[in-house]
Amino acid sequence: MAIKVGTVFNYLQLPNVSKFAFVINKRQDGTLIQKGLFVYTNSSEGFLIGTIEEIVLLNEYFADALTIKAFNNNNNPNILKGLFPSDDFEFAIAIVKCLGLIIFKDKDNQEIVRVQRMSYPASPGKEVYMVEEEVLNKFLGFDSKAGLNLGRVKVTNSEALVNMNRLLNKHFAILSISGGGKSYLTSVLIEELLIRNKDFGTPSIILFDVHGEYLYLKDIPKFKDRVKIQDISYFQIGVPKLSAYSFKKYQEQISSVQLRELSKYIKKLRKEKQKKNQYSLTDIIKVVEEETDGNKSTKQALIGWLSELERLTLFGSQENPSLDKVVNNQEITIFNFQKEVSIRKKQIIVDYICNRLFNLRRNDNIAPFLLVVEEAHQFCPEAAHSKAISKPIIEMLAREGRKFMACLCLISQRPKKLSTTALSQCNSKLVLSIKNPYDLKHLMDSSEAITKEYANIISSLGVGEMLLMGNAVNYPVFIDVRKRKFKLRDEAKSLAQFCLDWQKKELI
Ligand SMILES: Nc1ncnc2c1ncn2[C@@H]1O[C@H](COP(=O)(O)OP(=O)(O)OP(=O)(O)O)[C@@H](O)[C@H]1O
Ligand SMILES: [Mg+2]
């Protein structure tokens, strides 16, 4: 049964189309009325849902300065209180921001047909009720049957069962200051995808793990078979998969004349049947060296650039791991970048993997996937001067991936440094605490749903508190991110404990 919380009344200029006020019923059953609570009233258009935006306590008795003076002058205010029951004059009112109308299919309010905008105010005198969990889930766009449980909705404390299709398909970004809980939230999301019922359909996950934070997943018995770790030290780019243009991408100094020459040599190698399309960068260099005609200095320069690339020890005759094999439904492949320090090398690898995955997916050769990019500002920065090799492909994935069921999740602690093109394509945003005013402004610029009011709340969020907004939900909603079900070994260890462990190690 619906819990009644108050009655709509006229207060200042309210009710109007976007707001109404109600007098809060004296608490009888311990139901706590709080800011942020979802309530509804029957307006002439249907079920009008809103959230409590403000609570005001009024007491007519204390509205007059003279009374307060008399109250304070008396040596024993309790006597006065006995004479005048000032507490009885106190009442609380709530100001509600209207969110929308629910139109039900039938009279018993079971099936929601649609949610629409309101065009007429609530009626004074009408009762106000708390929104029941089931209705709220439908109203917010949660998926009670197969949703990803990311935590609990603030105030109402109901489970936040985010619809997977809505969250993943139009890309999403996880943003906060360092230590705000982005990686934690990501692992909660990964847990949800890995334990999701098989019959519901779940994409493959590919994750670029810059700090080795997700390797613990492999140690969890339940996930053992579904987690694959690929150490970047063993990563090999398959040279036969690269066009001459890709080499220019990785080695900017290659001129257009050299590029033309290079594509000639690559064509020649591809024709060599005995190589079976398995040639390496050394083979290309050899062909250039052996070629008798052509401009000598062009060749020399080209050899120089290619040798420099060769020294990165990234280019082999075959790709390793084979990217068409690593993408499997409901499995996660973690590319561990922990030991790699060269940002250029990291960007080349990310560029290669993204290009390959995108092409494979476009031709329907691999399963639909979710690509999670940690520290996305390193791979897809905004500033024109920090030219990142991997930026164009990430922007392309952000723009076009959706059509091919290639989903993108960008994680960053500096939204301002992240490409606006990529960020604005991330339709859903999971925003944890952000304090930096420049980052907040950038976020407001990239998403019109983030108003000044939301920006203020975002800056005051604590660790593990997030605002979910965009395509994943019908209305922005604040969520307490749940605890991980499966724990990282060192999670509870403090800095002091790490120091003590180190001391012990030194003694040995
Ligand atoms: N929902 C949560 N519940 C409990 N603890 C949390 C939660 N979210 C974050 N934490 C704690 O906060 C710490 C920092 O979180 P996390 O490593 O996810 O931050 P981050 O945003 O990824 O930081 P960085 O940008 O530096 O990578 C974690 O070690 C964890 O203990
Ligand atoms: Mg992190």
Side-chain angles (χ1 to χ4, degrees), residues 86-146:
S86 55
D87 284 355
D88 290 350
F89 283 79
E90 181 179 294
F91 63 98
I93 62 167
I95 314 284
V96 177
K97 189 170 97 183
C98 304
L99 296 176
L101 290 160
I102 286 193
I103 309 297
F104 288 102
K105 191 175 175 185
D106 35 30
K107 279 224 153 58
D108 51 355
N109 301 341
Q110 283 305 318
E111 204 177 323
I112 294 179
V113 184
R114 62 180 188 279
V115 174
Q116 68 180 43
R117 275 181 175 277
M118 54 277 158
S119 55
Y120 202 75
S123 316
K126 282 273 181 191
E127 283 157 343
V128 182
Y129 301 91
M130 246 162 87
V131 181
E132 293 112 14
E133 189 168 333
E134 205 178 313
V135 178
L136 182 66
N137 282 347
K138 285 183 183 155
F139 182 72
L140 290 174
F142 284 160
D143 178 357
S144 316
K145 192 168 147 235

Side-chain angles (χ1 to χ4, degrees), residues 16 49 77 110 160 376 393:
N16 60 23
I49 290 196
Q110 283 305 318
I393 181 65

Side-chain angles (χ1 to χ4, degrees), residues 177-370:
I177 50 165
S178 176
K182 298 180 294 297
S183 306
Y184 196 99
L185 170 60
T186 311
S187 38
V188 167
L189 186 70
I190 293 170
E191 279 182 4
E192 282 297 311
L193 290 171
L194 292 182
I195 58 177
R196 195 173 140 90
N197 187 328
K198 232 176 163 186
D199 300 335
F200 293 154
T202 310
S204 164
I205 312 168
I206 295 114
L207 187 145
F208 297 140
D209 187 358
V210 185
H211 306 296
E213 285 169 288
Y214 299 90
L215 306 181
Y216 78 97
L217 286 167
K218 184 79 188 158
D219 300 334
I220 295 164
K222 195 175 165 94
F223 297 154
K224 223 173 79 204
D225 302 332
R226 276 187 270 149
V227 179
K228 290 184 204 137
I229 312 254
Q230 299 290 348
D231 199 316
I232 282 312
S233 330
Y234 304 111
F235 191 84
Q236 289 282 291
I237 288 177
V239 174
K241 302 254 181 328
L242 297 180
S243 64
Y245 177 73
S246 308
F247 287 105
K248 178 161 171 59
K249 224 175 10 177
Y250 300 152
Q251 182 64 278
E252 262 203 326
Q253 289 95 330
I254 294 179
S255 71
S256 40
V257 179
Q258 290 158 8
L259 187 68
R260 210 176 50 222
E261 288 291 300
L262 181 60
S263 48
K264 218 166 69 192
Y265 299 127
I266 290 178
K267 224 181 249 168
K268 194 172 165 195
L269 267 172
R270 282 185 179 162
K271 273 192 201 139
E272 280 183 25
K273 288 234 163 54
Q274 70 270 31
K275 285 244 169 9
K276 289 194 189 119
N277 236 346
Q278 283 204 1
Y279 54 89
S280 67
L281 199 51
T282 327
D283 292 321
I284 299 182
I285 296 172
K286 218 156 104 196
V287 172
V288 184
E289 278 170 344
E290 282 167 4
E291 184 66 50
T292 44
D293 34 290
N295 185 315
K296 213 170 163 197
S297 60
T298 309
K299 281 198 306 189
Q300 281 309 319
L302 189 56
I303 289 170
W305 299 134
L306 293 180
S307 308
E308 201 265 348
L309 274 181
E310 172 85 328
R311 278 196 290 278
L312 293 176
T313 61
L314 263 181
F315 298 87
S317 56
Q318 254 180 326
E319 124 187 317
N320 180 45
S322 209
L323 290 170
D324 46 354
K325 307 249 161 46
V326 301
V327 180
N328 295 311
N329 271 341
Q330 217 164 13
E331 285 186 5
I332 178 169
T333 306
I334 300 170
F335 287 96
N336 178 15
F337 285 74
Q338 195 179 9
K339 294 188 198 122
E340 186 53 66
V341 281
S342 156
I343 182 76
R344 178 169 168 230
K345 221 166 148 178
K346 285 197 255 188
Q347 287 178 355
I348 291 179
I349 295 170
V350 166
D351 175 81
Y352 178 78
I353 296 177
C354 292
N355 264 301
R356 283 278 291 142
L357 291 179
F358 186 54
N359 286 328
L360 284 166
R361 185 59 219 136
R362 200 158 46 176
N363 298 320
D364 210 17
N365 290 334
I366 50 170
F369 63 81
L370 164 67

